[in-house]
Amino acid sequence: MRKTARYSALAAAGLLALSSLTACANDAASSTADSGSDGGGGKGEHVKIMVGGLDKVIYLPAMLTQRLGYFDAEGLDVELLSEPAGVQAETALVSGQVQGAVGFYDHTLDLQTKGKSVESVVQFSHAPGEVELVSAKRADDITSPKDFKGKKLGITGLGSSTDFLTKYLAVKNGVKVSDFSPVAVGAGPTFISALQKGAIDGGMTTDPTVTTVLQKGLGKVLIDMRTPRGSAEAFGGPYPSSSLYMQTDWVNGHKETVQKLANAFVKTLAWMASHSASEIAAKMPADYSQGAKTLYAAAIQSTLPMFTKDGVMPENGPETVEKVLKAFNPNIKNAKVDLGKTFTTEFVKKAAG
């Protein structure tokens, strides 16, 4: 991976280097065509997939599938692209720039209310994998979402899933959406910088950013949603998040290709379930750890419980997501959402069989 000027400036900074992953994600994406373990990049059917942050552990199956050579094994030439926030991956998908997006399942419901038919075809997770952090300086002032009023809270981007979930936590705890300020700060070094400078009082992010913040003593965990238990406590049930979602018309017109993608991703999820965090970390690009291999493996270990083993949508998951979105999103609150059209298990079940 070529090193950007920003990356070079941070590379020698020990643990902070790990947090710079988001800054170089687009560079990582540009090299993924040749990163398969069998070196077969460039052959097979070409498919472009936009990921809402290639380096984020919650979206780890995308790069890992490439690194394990499973796309190549299915006869696919998958080009992985990266945007810092899931909402930007969504935009790339609906505009036709890419054939698939790796991001949160909740976008499929939001898009349906806007007249767009999009569905999850492989469900990577049954928990958000997100963590609500508070600045170490504000830890005494913010002890629950009830204290969000008047605060500046970091999110990856407006309209992103971190935006959705932050609003839900606020409303659930009696704080109006208008009572706090969401601040788009991305993830990785931009999130950490905002926390250090006091531009935000806390915020929602994922690993490896979470692990880096805690290691450096910059913040504390307020709500941990990296496990099914944490999801149930926060939302009352499983919250399917990271997934491969695609436009329904494209899925119906390219079923053979979608099946190959499902085969590859289901193999990866099964591989993850039978390997340790350290083994998974060792398969990822070297720049993802940057001299902090133990810290990177710890970030993966903390997030592993969120992943499914088979890519199947968890039972009652869509209903939980709809409940969450209806709590604060007027578009969905006043709309009839056909949950059956927001996901399909057709391809993952064939892959398992």
Side-chain angles (χ1 to χ4, degrees):
M1 184 189 301
R2 63 183 186 275
K3 293 177 167 56
T4 63
R6 183 180 197 179
Y7 180 83
S8 297
L10 292 171
L15 294 177
L16 188 55
L18 179 58
S19 72
S20 69
L21 294 172
T22 299
C24 67
N26 284 311
D27 286 341
S30 69
S31 64
T32 55
D34 298 317
S35 63
S37 63
D38 63 358
K43 296 181 180 179
E45 184 176 359
H46 189 67
V47 180
K48 290 191 290 185
I49 297 176
M50 184 68 78
V51 184
L54 258 177
D55 59 317
K56 295 177 183 177
V57 177
I58 59 171
Y59 300 142
L60 181 149
M63 177 60 80
L64 183 58
T65 303
Q66 188 81 281
R67 301 288 290 184
L68 291 172
Y70 291 160
F71 291 137
D72 290 332
E74 292 292 331
L76 297 173
D77 173 25
V78 174
E79 181 182 0
L80 297 176
L81 306 170
S82 185
E83 286 286 0
V87 67
Q88 292 162 322
E90 168 197 300
T91 300
L93 178 70
V94 297
S95 66
Q97 297 176 48
V98 296
Q99 288 76 53
V102 170
F104 269 40
Y105 160 71
D106 54 23
H107 290 293
T108 67
L109 281 72
D110 187 50
L111 286 168
Q112 188 181 115
T113 66
K114 299 172 182 175
K116 304 291 184 181
S117 184
V118 175
E119 60 188 17
S120 166
V121 296
V122 183
Q123 193 59 48
F124 295 163
S125 64
H126 45 192
E130 303 280 355
V131 174
E132 183 69 30
L133 295 171
V134 294
S135 166
K137 300 174 183 177
R138 303 305 302 271
D140 292 337
D141 303 327
I142 307 174
T143 59
S144 84
K146 294 179 181 179
D147 301 320
F148 282 177
K149 187 173 183 179
K151 304 301 189 296
K152 296 172 292 184
L153 301 175
I155 56 174
T156 53
L158 297 176
S160 67
S161 294
T162 52
D163 188 16
F164 292 164
L165 297 182
T166 301
K167 287 177 178 175
Y168 174 74
L169 292 176
V171 171
K172 179 186 177 184
N173 287 274
V175 179
K176 297 178 182 178
V177 171
S178 58
D179 286 342
F180 68 93
S181 302
V183 184
V185 294
T190 52
F191 182 97
I192 293 172
S193 176
L195 202 62
Q196 287 177 313
K197 295 177 179 178
I200 56 175
D201 301 307
M204 191 173 292
T205 190
T206 61
D207 274 313
T209 307
V210 173
T211 301
T212 303
V213 168
L214 298 179
Q215 182 71 21
K216 294 177 72 65
L218 299 175
K220 296 183 178 181
V221 172
L222 183 66
I223 301 175
D224 193 336
M225 297 163 281
R226 290 176 290 188
T227 67
R229 179 178 178 179
S231 176
E233 290 176 353
F235 309 114
Y239 195 95
S241 57
S242 57
S243 65
L244 170 68
Y245 62 88
M246 313 178 88
Q247 295 201 62
T248 301
D249 286 346
W250 199 92
V251 171
N252 292 336
H254 301 80
K255 288 201 170 188
E256 184 177 347
T257 300
V258 176
Q259 186 62 61
K260 291 177 180 178
L261 288 168
N263 293 344
F265 280 123
V266 169
K267 286 179 185 177
T268 297
L269 291 168
W271 189 93
M272 289 171 62
S274 61
H275 288 76
S276 69
S278 295
E279 290 171 321
I280 294 171
K283 287 291 183 180
M284 300 303 284
D287 285 24
Y288 278 29
S289 62
Q290 276 302 311
K293 293 182 180 180
T294 301
L295 184 61
Y296 183 56
I300 293 175
Q301 181 64 43
S302 297
T303 307
L304 273 179
M306 73 174 279
F307 293 107
T308 67
K309 298 179 181 180
D310 53 13
V312 176
M313 176 66 72
E315 186 176 356
N316 299 322
E319 289 80 5
T320 302
V321 172
E322 182 182 31
K323 179 193 71 174
V324 168
L325 295 183
K326 280 183 176 294
F328 67 87
N329 189 321
N331 292 333
I332 294 180
K333 184 176 183 178
N334 302 317
K336 173 66 176 178
V337 178
D338 188 341
L339 293 177
K341 292 182 178 180
T342 62
F343 71 97
T344 176
T345 59
E346 172 187 351
F347 302 98
V348 291
K349 287 186 175 180
K350 285 183 180 179

